[in-house]
Amino acid sequence: MNSETELAPAVASILEAARERGGDDGGAVTVDARSVSDALAQADADGRVPVIAEVKPTSPTADGTREDDPVELAESMVAGGATAISVLTEPSHFGGSPAALTRIREAVDVPVLRKDFVLREAQLDVVEADLLLLIVRFVDDLEGLIAAARERGFQPLVEVHDRKELETALEAGADIIGVNNRDLARLEVDLETFESVAPHVPDDVTLIAESGIASPADVRRMREAGADALLVGSAIMDHAGGDSDVRENTRRLVRADDGTDLT
Ligand SMILES: O=C(O)c1ccccc1NCC(=O)[C@H](O)[C@H](O)COP(=O)(O)O
């Protein structure tokens, strides 16, 4: 663990739960991954903003819980133009599950990201996914975990929050990097986080803006700052909206490059 100082209580609780969760004793998984770079190129060719839409039943900052079938949510997101799907598999704070990810991956043909708090190698073997999140702040041996993930076929998405963590990610060999606009100390989101880190990311790295992207104007702002793709959960799930239309919520962001602010 790089730092346990200044963590929001909810994040400390997430970490404690992650430490207690085991891996899978069925041996290492092998993934025949769907290429994220191919999916991004296809979105560009189609004129879609590359949105990674997140199936996120709830979260410590959500205004409620969505009980919808995760497969139906994911299919609606793809119908709305999502380039990839992110699935929270963390059970106790986000209402996710590895089983939901497996069902989603069988149902859609876009790359699927496993969004969880993976701390050690055995936890890689819980479920097959195309992309796998590793959070710099929470991982001790980042280089080792990136290598272990790649050996299994995963494309590791390495999450950073500032320039120091970016350096750590680059030194460890990350080639897909997410800059999280959510501060894990206060759980506040600030899009300036991405804007301050993005100029220091080499051009050959796939760069993803994560969290707090709520409107077409936010999408354009992150794209102008250099985002190759955007990871969006809350604005698409619209937890407070109950049965809000995730297809339309996705489409609104996917079309955001045309300058029409539909909010
Ligand atoms: O979303 C939370 O409340 C949260 C709280 C504590 C740690 C992590 C959290 N979120 C994880 C994520 O990275 C987001 O789900 C993802 O980036 C999408 O963010 P958003 O579009 O703001 O829902």
Side-chain angles (χ1 to χ4, degrees):
M1 193 78 43
N2 287 325
S3 170
E4 292 212 45
T5 57
E6 281 198 71
L7 282 182
V11 180
S13 168
I14 291 167
L15 274 182
E16 196 180 325
R19 274 193 212 101
E20 284 166 10
R21 268 197 304 280
D24 191 283
D25 46 20
V29 299
T30 308
V31 186
D32 182 13
R34 300 168 192 163
S35 161
V36 70
S37 58
D38 288 355
L40 293 178
Q42 187 61 56
D44 276 343
D46 296 346
R48 288 177 288 130
V49 174
V51 170
I52 304 172
E54 187 159 276
V55 177
K56 178 180 184 179
T58 190
S59 86
T61 59
D63 290 329
T65 300
R66 285 197 66 151
E67 309 283 359
D68 321 43
D69 176 16
V71 172
E72 284 177 19
L73 287 170
E75 286 175 334
S76 298
M77 291 165 175
V78 172
T83 292
I85 299 294
S86 167
V87 183
L88 259 307
T89 54
E90 203 275 357
S92 48
H93 299 77
F94 294 87
S97 73
L101 186 150
T102 298
R103 290 180 55 228
I104 287 169
R105 191 161 180 262
E106 283 168 5
V108 301
D109 58 4
V110 299
V112 177
L113 163 68
R114 178 182 171 205
K115 198 91 188 327
D116 209 324
F117 297 79
V118 170
L119 305 178
R120 53 186 185 276
E121 185 169 343
Q123 293 173 330
L124 298 174
D125 296 320
V126 169
V127 64
E128 290 177 31
D130 305 291
L131 292 142
L132 177 100
L133 184 77
L134 296 174
I135 303 174
V136 166
R137 181 161 182 177
F138 299 148
V139 170
D140 282 330
D141 177 14
L142 183 62
E143 196 172 344
L145 217 43
I146 288 175
R150 287 187 179 138
E151 273 163 25
R152 288 160 170 80
F154 294 110
Q155 297 158 101
L157 161 57
V158 179
E159 179 178 300
V160 307
H161 183 66
D162 56 29
R163 277 187 69 183
K164 188 161 176 285
E165 291 184 357
L166 172 65
E167 286 314 311
T168 304
L170 293 171
E171 279 165 22
D175 59 3
I176 308 173
I177 290 182
V179 179
N180 195 348
N181 290 309
R182 182 171 283 108
D183 170 3
L184 296 178
R186 286 172 293 281
L187 293 185
E188 290 165 0
V189 288
D190 182 351
L191 300 189
E192 276 184 27
T193 305
F194 183 84
E195 290 169 328
S196 68
V197 175
H200 307 283
V201 176
D203 288 344
D204 58 353
V205 167
T206 299
L207 179 58
I208 300 174
E210 300 178 10
S211 302
I213 299 154
S215 68
D218 291 343
V219 169
R220 291 195 291 275
R221 181 172 164 186
M222 294 293 92
R223 292 283 275 171
E224 275 158 26
D228 295 311
L230 311 146
L231 174 63
V232 185
S234 308
I236 291 175
M237 293 295 290
D238 189 12
H239 300 95
D243 59 355
S244 169
D245 183 346
V246 301
R247 180 181 188 274
E248 190 49 38
N249 296 345
T250 306
R251 200 176 67 96
R252 187 171 71 97
L253 301 178
V254 163
R255 290 178 48 199
D257 263 358
D258 67 8
T260 314
D261 201 328
L262 302 173
T263 50

